[in-house]
Amino acid sequence: MSQGSRRNVWLRHAAIALGYALGYLLVRHVSWSHWLLFAGYRLSVLMLVPYRYWPALLVGELGPMTYDSVSCAQTFGWLWAAVMLVPPLALVMPVVKYCRDRLHMIPAHGPVHLRVVLACTLAVSLIWTIGNLVILSTARIPVDFGPINYPAVAARWVIGNYLGVLTIVPLVLLIREGKAKQFESWRSSLGRAVRSPLAIEAATCVLPALVLLTWLARETSSESMRGMVQMSMFAPVLWFALRRGWHGAALGGAGASIAVAVTMPQLYDPATLQSEALVAFAVSSMLLFGSRMAVPHRQVASDGRDSGNSLDLARRIQAQCEIQLQQSALGIDRASETVHAAENLLFDRSPSRPSAVDVRELRRLATA
């Protein structure tokens, strides 16, 4: 490898590490309590980025983790700071690699295997929760903080990681599938996506319903009423999944997840945690149901294409036969005209003209 090529490779890895670190910091600022969007950001990157760039991703995540470890070491202890230096990406890389290689989670050609995606989502959510519990157990807790309820903390992290993944990963897979269908620019793909029936129904039906439910949840002063409104946010997901399969579940699930997080009255709210658990269950179920719906639709589309090809072939054969018949009829007409012309010439210029009866009989026989 030449010096210039080696320099380009290192620059590419450095750009990926820096881009991942900036994206991670941006997504972490909009994550809180039990709505961990950076979990979905991590998993979506691992699903789509080639293996040769995974070391760059580890370096990119190690930067923010090192900053948090050093800045909080005096508060939580140096043992906690040392454990914090382990990148969470490294904990789930074997699971993601196994799902990509052995279970064909995202094949190069064909639909995404959503059952494998959801299984991978649950596995990485549990792994990251266990890792967070280990980190929390090594921390030096201040005296005035009080005892830690580890089961409640574990439930909050599991649901937060799982819902954070369900908010981002299906959308990323939807965008990837839409871009893979057409070899066109991103601007053309975006314009086609905005004009698609999926986007139109999401903007005219699902989004207004979620906005209305969000407004009701924020305006009400009753906690029970707010919880009922939050739990009812899975209804647009159900309707959209029945309409558009897993694509509708991906868009509706992301909208419902954002709506539930926006209506959370305070951090660590237990009622919101229950609503998030219901939304996560509804989105997972609708993703699986939508993926099952897509199989017969693809078969029907394939059969339609096959039957369409057969009909096109039959139409072409029929058109060719009609052209041949027209050419044959035209040739017969020309041959008949030639025969009549030769007949007239023969009888008009005959030196010994027979009688009129004989001429008519000869003409009849010649025509026949």
Side-chain angles (χ1 to χ4, degrees):
M1 182 182 294
S2 62
Q3 187 69 23
S5 301
R6 188 178 295 109
R7 186 182 301 110
N8 292 333
V9 171
W10 282 108
L11 288 176
R12 192 180 302 116
H13 280 75
I16 290 174
L18 180 61
Y20 174 80
L22 293 177
Y24 174 77
L25 291 175
L26 178 63
V27 175
R28 193 174 66 173
H29 279 295
V30 294
S31 303
W32 59 80
S33 183
H34 36 77
W35 193 56
L36 307 177
L37 286 182
F38 54 80
Y41 175 74
R42 286 169 176 165
L43 185 56
S44 61
V45 170
L46 286 179
M47 283 182 175
L48 300 179
V49 172
Y51 295 140
R52 62 180 180 274
Y53 297 124
W54 278 16
L57 297 178
L58 291 176
V59 174
E61 191 169 55
L62 192 60
M65 303 301 292
T66 302
Y67 175 79
D68 294 338
S69 174
V70 173
S71 60
C72 300
Q74 297 293 334
T75 303
F76 299 110
W78 289 103
L79 178 60
W80 173 89
V83 178
M84 273 289 293
L85 292 177
V86 179
L89 279 178
L91 301 177
V92 299
M93 279 182 174
V95 176
V96 178
K97 190 176 187 304
Y98 179 81
C99 293
R100 287 180 59 172
D101 294 344
R102 299 295 182 87
L103 302 181
H104 306 288
M105 179 168 55
I106 306 177
H109 303 285
V112 177
H113 295 164
L114 285 176
R115 288 184 299 177
V116 182
V117 172
L118 291 176
C120 182
T121 298
L122 182 59
V124 299
S125 300
L126 293 175
I127 291 173
W128 282 332
T129 300
I130 294 173
N132 290 336
L133 291 176
V134 171
I135 294 174
L136 181 61
S137 65
T138 60
R140 186 174 57 203
I141 307 300
V143 179
D144 57 348
F145 192 79
I148 298 176
N149 187 357
Y150 281 95
V153 173
R156 185 168 66 242
W157 275 335
V158 169
I159 295 177
N161 286 319
Y162 191 75
L163 191 59
V165 172
L166 289 182
T167 304
I168 293 182
V169 169
L171 286 180
V172 172
L173 296 178
L174 176 61
I175 295 172
R176 175 188 175 274
E177 184 176 281
K179 186 65 177 68
K181 290 182 179 179
Q182 298 288 339
F183 295 98
E184 56 187 0
S185 63
W186 281 104
R187 182 177 299 177
S188 301
S189 300
L190 181 61
R192 181 170 51 83
V194 170
R195 295 187 299 268
S196 65
L198 181 70
I200 294 174
E201 290 185 4
T204 57
C205 299
V206 179
L207 183 60
L210 290 176
V211 170
L212 177 61
L213 292 174
T214 303
W215 177 77
L216 290 175
R218 292 182 65 89
E219 290 297 322
T220 184
S221 58
S222 173
E223 293 186 1
S224 59
M225 184 64 183
R226 183 187 301 110
M228 291 177 58
V229 174
Q230 287 178 334
M231 290 185 179
S232 65
M233 289 180 180
F234 77 93
V237 182
L238 175 62
W239 177 84
F240 208 23
L242 293 176
R243 288 279 299 170
R244 295 295 173 182
W246 77 267
H247 294 171
L251 280 176
S257 174
I258 295 173
V260 171
V262 170
T263 57
M264 184 167 54
Q266 59 185 356
L267 295 179
Y268 312 109
D269 181 53
T272 303
L273 183 63
Q274 295 176 2
S275 302
E276 287 183 342
L278 179 61
V279 170
F281 175 76
V283 173
S284 302
S285 303
M286 289 300 102
L287 285 173
L288 288 175
F289 179 73
S291 65
R292 295 293 297 271
M293 286 176 55
V295 174
H297 288 173
R298 285 192 297 269
Q299 291 176 353
V300 170
S302 177
D303 295 341
R305 287 193 297 268
D306 294 340
S307 61
N309 294 335
S310 301
L311 289 175
D312 291 339
L313 180 60
R315 292 191 186 100
R316 287 197 297 268
I317 293 175
Q318 181 182 4
Q320 292 176 357
C321 291
E322 290 178 354
I323 293 174
Q324 291 178 356
L325 288 174
Q326 291 175 359
Q327 292 177 351
S328 300
L330 183 60
I332 292 173
D333 290 338
R334 290 178 179 177
S336 177
E337 292 175 359
T338 304
V339 169
H340 282 292
E343 174 192 342
N344 292 331
L345 182 62
L346 175 63
F347 287 102
D348 290 341
R349 296 186 179 183
S350 178
S352 58
R353 295 181 60 85
S355 63
V357 178
D358 295 336
V359 170
R360 286 195 298 270
E361 183 64 21
L362 289 175
R363 287 181 184 275
R364 188 185 65 80
L365 293 174
T367 303

